[in-house]
């Protein structure tokens, strides 16, 4: 009988772990999330309509390689950049930019929406930044910048 209780407890812990992972918007285990996401080198490029990224606002696209969200932002007119949504502290998904900042709901890290720099820890590394080029009315996301 005690073995049955232990089995139920272990099963419940597994369900809770899976539920928490999904709650914070990540499909991968946190160990994998520590690696910066990168758009797929082959296959269709990630593009977004420039009109969908207002000055001071953002648009969300999905990284085809990892499935994680990328936020394309326009902090100043004609200046575009993109950031990974994966917090560099523990791999949780950060919220969409609001009031010039990206906020991580897991531990409270805040990042500058124009540069990806850490504004408030516990994160110590900036969000990975992706190159964005404007081609007509489209924005094309390139590889992460170093």
């Amino acid at each position: 009988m005690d073995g049955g209780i232990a089995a139920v407890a272990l099963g419940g812990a597994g369900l809770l772990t899976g539920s928490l992972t999904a709650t914070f918007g990540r499909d991968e285990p946190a160990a994998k999330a520590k690696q910066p996401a990168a758009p797929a080198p082959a296959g269709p490029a990630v593009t977004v309509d420039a009109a969908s990224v207002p000055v001071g606002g953002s648009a969300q696209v999905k990284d085809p390689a990892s499935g994680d969200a990328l936020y394309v932002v326009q902090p100043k007119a004609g200046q575009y950049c993109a950031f990974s949504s994966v917090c560099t502290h523990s791999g949780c998904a950060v919220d969409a930019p609001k009031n010039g900042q990206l906020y991580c709901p897991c531990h409270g890290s805040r990042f500058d929406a124009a540069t990806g720099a850490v504004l408030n820890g516990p994160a110590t590394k900036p969000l990975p930044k992706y190159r964005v080029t404007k081609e007509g009315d489209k924005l094309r996301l390139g590889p992460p910048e170093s």
Side-chain angles (χ1 to χ4, degrees):
M1 185 171 241
D2 289 336
I5 293 172
V8 170
L10 285 174
L15 289 173
L16 177 61
T17 300
S19 176
L20 288 174
T21 300
T23 299
F24 290 113
R26 298 300 319 280
D27 295 334
E28 309 175 11
K32 277 188 170 183
K34 298 242 182 219
Q35 299 173 353
V46 177
T47 61
V48 64
D49 290 330
S52 69
V53 185
V55 175
S58 68
Q60 182 177 328
V61 296
K62 189 170 263 202
D63 181 333
S66 68
D68 291 326
L70 301 175
Y71 295 115
V72 183
V73 298
Q74 184 179 189
K76 296 179 185 175
Q79 177 189 3
Y80 298 95
C81 48
F83 300 99
S84 169
S85 68
V86 180
C87 180
T88 56
H89 171 245
S90 65
C92 293
V94 298
D95 293 336
K98 185 176 179 181
N99 299 322
Q101 298 182 8
L102 295 113
Y103 172 75
C104 181
C106 293
H107 300 109
S109 293
R110 292 183 188 274
F111 302 88
D112 185 291
T115 65
V118 176
L119 298 173
N120 184 60
T124 58
K125 295 180 182 177
L127 292 173
K129 184 176 181 179
Y130 292 79
R131 183 176 318 248
V132 177
T133 54
K134 188 171 182 192
E135 299 173 0
D137 62 350
K138 298 280 186 192
L139 301 174
R140 182 177 302 276
L141 277 65
E145 297 178 352
S146 325

